[in-house]
Amino acid sequence: MGKKGTEIVASKIDVNEVIADLNKAYADEWLAHYQYWLAAHWVSGINADAITSRLTAQSADELLHAEKFANRIMELGGAPVMDFAKLAEVGGCGYSKPPEDQGNLKQVIEDVISAERCAIDFYNRMVEKYRDKDYVTFELFKTVLLDEVGDEDEWEDLLSQQP
Ligand SMILES: [Fe+2]
Ligand SMILES: [Fe+2]
C-alpha cells in the first residue's frame, strides 16, 4: 500500500469508506463484464453481428475498469471482493441475465443501457463526493464516468437502429 498516499486520504475521509465505494464499483464492473460477455456469445440472428462485436469489445472495457478499481483498492491497503458469489451483493447495479430468446436483441440492448445508466448515476455521485477529499479516487471515478457516458450514447444509437 502507498503509505503517504493513504495518509493524505485518511486526513480527509475514512479510508474504509473509500475502499467500500471502490469495491461497489469493482463489483459492478465485473457484473457488467460478465453480462456483456455472456450476451455477446448468447445472441443470434441476422442482425446480431454488430451487437456481438460491440458487446465483446465493451465487456473487455468493463474488465479494464474492474482492474483500475482493484488497483486503487490495493493502493489504499484494501482487498477487492474476494468471494465471487458476493459480487451481486456488493454491487449496486445488479446483474441482468440474457433473455431466453436469443434473438431478442432489443432486450439485451435495454439491459446494457440500464446497467450503464446505473453506473453513470453512481460514478457521478462518487465524483461529487471525492472531488475535495481524494484526488486520485476522484480522477479514477471521473475517467470511468466519461467512458460510461460514451457507452450509454453508443447503446442508445444501437437501440434506435433496431427494427
Ligand atoms: Fe465500466
Ligand atoms: Fe460501460
Side-chain angles (χ1 to χ4, degrees), residues 101-117:
D101 173 4
Q102 288 174 278
N104 193 348
L105 301 175
K106 214 171 160 197
Q107 185 63 55
V108 169
I109 298 171
E110 280 167 357
D111 289 344
V112 171
I113 291 174
S114 56
E116 295 296 329
R117 285 183 182 155

Side-chain angles (χ1 to χ4, degrees), residues 29 32 36 58 61-62 65 112 115-116 119 144 147-149 151-152 155:
E29 294 294 347
Y36 301 175
Q58 220 167 291
D61 289 346
E62 312 304 3
H65 290 162
V112 171
E116 295 296 329
V144 181
D147 285 353
E148 312 303 11
V149 167
D151 291 346
E152 185 202 24
W155 286 99

Side-chain angles (χ1 to χ4, degrees), residues 116-131 138 141-142 144-146 148-149:
E116 295 296 329
R117 285 183 182 155
C118 179
I120 289 169
D121 187 51
F122 178 54
Y123 297 159
N124 191 56
R125 277 188 283 125
M126 292 300 103
V127 166
E128 293 281 334
K129 178 173 176 177
Y130 287 104
R131 68 191 329 153
F138 161 74
F141 276 120
K142 197 176 84 176
V144 181
L145 173 64
L146 287 172
E148 312 303 11
V149 167

Side-chain angles (χ1 to χ4, degrees), residues 48-114:
D49 281 2
I51 305 297
T52 294
S53 68
R54 280 317 300 145
L55 283 169
T56 304
Q58 220 167 291
S59 114
D61 289 346
E62 312 304 3
L63 192 59
L64 286 174
H65 290 162
E67 190 179 334
K68 286 181 175 162
F69 286 118
N71 287 336
R72 183 62 184 144
I73 289 165
M74 290 184 283
E75 255 171 27
L76 291 170
V81 180
M82 289 285 163
D83 185 349
F84 198 78
K86 288 243 165 74
L87 289 174
E89 201 180 294
V90 174
C93 294
Y95 165 77
S96 298
K97 61 182 179 191
E100 263 175 55
D101 173 4
Q102 288 174 278
N104 193 348
L105 301 175
K106 214 171 160 197
Q107 185 63 55
V108 169
I109 298 171
E110 280 167 357
D111 289 344
V112 171
I113 291 174
S114 56

